């Protein structure tokens, strides 16, 4: 037996508490097997750690993708909601024009106006199970409504001119054709929760009236005019609409949950411009309504009673 065959390696293990010493003797082959086993365990532990990190990163990426998809879907739904509200406002204006035209036709003894024939669109399904509208479908319905309104307005203007020629004294009845630039009536349904003037024991001057109503209640323009501001404002009014009626007269509609018009847009009396909310400095759902003359707030009550 040679020296290589008799060579041994010792591993000394000392237990300090019991003062015992254990000696493990290994041959070169046993030492190689022990080292190989330790290396294999290290490889397995490393592989497990890498797999855990990969799985964790993959789950994070999946969660991020889901959040992105939810954000995209939320934005799309908000866009569809805004367009749908505008379509609803246009439908209300169409009904108003139809009623005005029927009133004029009744004065001259003409039959009621016939509805224009409009081909069905994908945004207005005629049967089957209802489905969520896409942006394209709502846009199609919006375009259809705009076309019908223009047709109705042209028919109304033609009837108004005919009345003016046939009945010289009938100009006062042509309300739809003449501008209605003086604020009149209530801008929304509800009750006055805070009037114009001093409040909070004289510590604050309220420049308008607060009309309490449910969130989402339509707000209408109280006179014809041009929208000067529409959307969020940091002044405390939240979502707000300002309408210039000419002659130094302006109306303001504050704390809306959403607006249905844009700056620069022409609006008519009775047209939906926003929806009641509680945005800005507000303690509950209501509309803050102001009438300003020459830039100064005046009591809206006299205009609302007309």
């Amino acid at each position: 037996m040679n020296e290589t065959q008799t060579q041994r390696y010792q591993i000394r293990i000392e237990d300090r508490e019991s003062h015992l010493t254990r000696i493990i003797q290994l041959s070169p082959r046993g030492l190689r097997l022990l080292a190989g086993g330790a290396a294999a365990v290290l490889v397995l532990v490393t592989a497990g750690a890498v797999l855990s990190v990969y799985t964790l990163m993959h789950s994070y990426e999946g969660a991020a993708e889901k959040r992105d998809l939810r954000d995209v879907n939320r934005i799309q739904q908000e866009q569809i909601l805004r367009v749908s509200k505008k379509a609803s406002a246009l439908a209300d204006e169409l009904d108003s024009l139809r009623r005005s035209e029927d009133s004029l036709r009744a004065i001259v003894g003409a039959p009621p106006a016939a509805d224009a024939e409009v081909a069905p669109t994908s945004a207005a399904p005629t049967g089957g199970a209802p489905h969520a509208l896409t942006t394209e479908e709502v846009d199609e319905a919006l375009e259809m409504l705009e076309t019908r309104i223009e047709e109705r307005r042209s028919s109304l203007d033609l009837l108004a001119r005919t009345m003016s020629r046939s009945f010289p004294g009938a100009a006062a009845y042509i309300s739809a054709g003449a501008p209605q630039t003086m604020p009149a009536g209530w801008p929304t349904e509800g009750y006055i929760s805070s009037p114009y003037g001093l409040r909070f024991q004289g510590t604050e001057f309220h420049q308008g009236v607060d009309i309490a109503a449910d969130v989402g209640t339509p707000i209408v323009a109280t006179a014809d005019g041009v929208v000067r501001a529409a959307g969020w404002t940091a002044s405390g009014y939240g979502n707000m609409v300002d309408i210039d009626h000419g002659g130094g007269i302006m109306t303001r509609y504050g704390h809306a949950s959403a607006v249905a018009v844009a700056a620069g847009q022409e609006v008519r009396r009775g047209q939906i411009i926003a929806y009641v909310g509680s945005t800005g400095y507000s303690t509950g759902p209501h509309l803050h309504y102001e009438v300003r003359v020459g830039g100064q707030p005046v009591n809206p009550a006299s205009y609302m009673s007309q």
Side-chain angles (χ1 to χ4, degrees), residues 32-184:
R32 288 194 298 271
L33 290 174
L34 179 62
V41 170
L42 180 61
V43 170
L44 289 175
V45 170
T46 303
V50 172
L51 180 61
S52 298
V53 171
Y54 173 78
T55 302
L56 184 61
M57 292 180 61
H58 185 70
S59 65
Y60 283 158
E61 291 177 355
E65 290 178 357
K66 290 180 180 179
R67 286 196 300 271
D68 292 340
L69 288 174
R70 286 197 298 267
D71 290 341
V72 170
N73 183 66
R74 176 180 57 80
I75 293 172
Q76 289 178 342
Q77 292 300 319
E78 289 176 352
Q79 292 174 341
I80 291 176
L81 178 61
R82 285 196 296 269
V83 177
S84 298
K85 288 180 177 179
K86 186 174 181 181
S88 177
L90 288 173
D92 290 338
E93 185 178 0
L94 180 61
D95 291 339
S96 177
L97 288 174
R98 170 62 184 270
R99 289 193 297 270
S100 297
E101 183 171 356
D102 286 345
S103 298
L104 289 174
R105 288 177 175 272
I107 293 174
V108 299
D115 286 328
E117 292 294 332
V118 180
T121 67
S122 57
T126 56
H131 66 282
L133 296 180
T134 64
T135 303
E136 291 77 12
E137 290 173 332
V138 177
D139 284 339
E140 185 179 357
L142 186 61
E143 183 178 352
M144 177 194 69
L145 283 170
E146 289 175 340
T147 300
R148 294 183 63 187
I149 286 174
E150 287 303 318
E151 291 176 352
R152 183 65 64 201
R153 195 184 299 279
S154 298
S155 175
L156 185 59
D157 290 341
L158 178 60
L159 180 61
R161 289 194 296 270
T162 302
M163 281 189 64
S164 298
R165 290 193 300 266
S166 303
F167 303 93
Y173 296 98
I174 311 177
S175 58
Q180 302 178 23
T181 57
M182 185 61 66

